[in-house]
Each structure stands twice: as structure tokens, then as C-alpha cells.
Amino acid sequence: MEWSQPEVQGDLVTPRAGHAGVTIGENWYIVGGGDNKNGCPETLVLNMSKLAWSALTSVKERDPLASEGLSVCSALINGERHLVAFGGYNGKYNNEVFVMRLKPSDASRPKIFQSPAAAAAAASVTAAYALAKSEKLDFSSLNLSSNGVGNNPSELDLAFEIDALKEEKKELELSLTEVRAENSRLTEKVDEVNGTHAELSKELHSVQGQLAAERSRCFKLEAQIAELQKILESLQSIENEVQLLRRQKSALEQEIERSAAQRQGSGGVWRWIAG
């Protein structure tokens, strides 16, 4: 025998611990739980035949039902099935009993639950807002004991709430200080990057100027090369004319030599006749 992990469908369920569960028929009901920071306010049901999660209901985050370590059971009351929950801890220990009547067919409504990080951020914002409002309250009308806390349970709860909000305010102020420090560091980095960008821009303009000067020199060299090519073409025609003149000169010299030879031949005949 070994464990397997089937594919589960339905609503997204946030990780939790300390929750309570009870099975009724083919449904597994999950109540409460948390992650040591925030309670899970959803009451979930897993249809084990379809392996599909759905949410039955949801309470406030500080509700006793959103506690860790609570107990839950099922009971048949007046012929109807009920869930009964008791106890739990969510910053304080609870001793309330809660009952929920189950309908014959609970229609599941799709719901996307927040991740723990998003839930923590939302809780922090809510706490800061509540603290800002609580600081405006007038607590002079409360009947406090010598220890500074009244004997009324509601006053005790209010004092606990105020202390918790003050702690959360301190944490938020610390986070704000860290964010401001990080913002200052990022500002310095941005200034440094801007300075580097300015220097690189100057170098780029300098290189662009040098490139323009080199381009002008290239244009001048191309013009000189074109002129030299024209000169070379004219030199070729001059060389052709020189060769033609040389051939004419050679032909003329040959003609002169033949004429001289003919004169010498005619003079010898006359001398032979005279002798």
C-alpha cells in the first residue's frame, strides 16, 4: 500500500494548518486553520467522488471560525444535518460554539482565494486603516480597572485589538522605513546611471564628429581617385599616339635607308662606264 496524489479540481485552496475536518457522506468539510499569521475564513467542502473543492461560506479573518486548532463535528438536529464548531486560537483562545445547517445540496460557488502573501498585505492595510480610526476614538468613557483594562469582556477584546493594531503599526512603520531606504538606494543608482549615460552621450557625439570628418576625407579621396583615373585614361591615349609616331619614324628611317642605297648603286654604274 502506498499514497498517491490525485488531480483535484475546483476552487483554489490556500495552504493551512490546524484546521478541522469531518466527513458526511461523500463530502469532506474543512473549517478554520491558518499559517501562523492569518486565519483561513473559508469553510470548504471536498466532493471525494469528483475530487472537486468548493467554498460553502466565508467569515471575517478575525472571526473565531477562522482559527487554528478548533474542533468540528456533525450532528443530526431535528432531522437535519448540522456542522458544530468549537474553540480555536486566532490571537486569543475562543470558547464559542457555532452551528451551521447543511442544505441537502450545497451549490458551490466558484471563488479564487488570495495567496498568503496577498492576504498578509491586505490584512496589514486593513490593520493600518483600523488603527488610524482607533486613534480617533475617545476611550475616556471606558470603565477601566486599576490594571488599565476593564472587566467587561468586550473591553478586554478591544484592548487586545488595540495592542495588536499598535504592533502592526510598528511593523508597517518599519516596513515603510525599509522601503524609503531602498528608494534612496535606487535613487542613487538612477543618478549614477544618468551620469554614466551623460558621459556615454558625450563620447558618442565625439565619435560621431570623428566619423563625419573621416567621411569628408573619404569623399575627398574618392574625388582625387576619379581625377587620377581620368589622367590615367589620358595617358593611355598619349602613349598610343607616341607608339604611332614611333612606327611612323621607323618607317621613315627605313625609307631613307632605301633611298640612300639606291643612290649609291646608280653612282657605281656611271663610274664603271666612265672607266
Side-chain angles (χ1 to χ4, degrees), residues 8 93 203 214 216 223 226 261:
V8 182
Y93 292 98
E203 293 181 1
E214 293 295 329
S216 177

Side-chain angles (χ1 to χ4, degrees), residues 191-242:
D191 294 338
E192 182 180 355
V193 170
N194 289 335
T196 304
H197 180 265
E199 294 178 358
L200 292 176
S201 297
K202 291 180 181 179
E203 293 181 1
L204 178 61
H205 290 314
S206 176
V207 171
Q208 287 177 345
Q210 295 177 2
L211 181 61
E214 293 295 329
R215 189 176 298 168
S216 177
R217 289 181 56 189
C218 288
F219 288 153
K220 291 180 180 179
L221 289 175
E222 289 177 355
Q224 293 177 0
I225 290 172
E227 292 179 358
L228 290 175
Q229 287 178 347
K230 291 180 180 179
I231 293 172
L232 289 175
E233 291 176 357
S234 62
L235 288 176
Q236 184 67 32
S237 61
I238 292 172
E239 185 177 357
N240 293 334
E241 292 178 358
V242 169

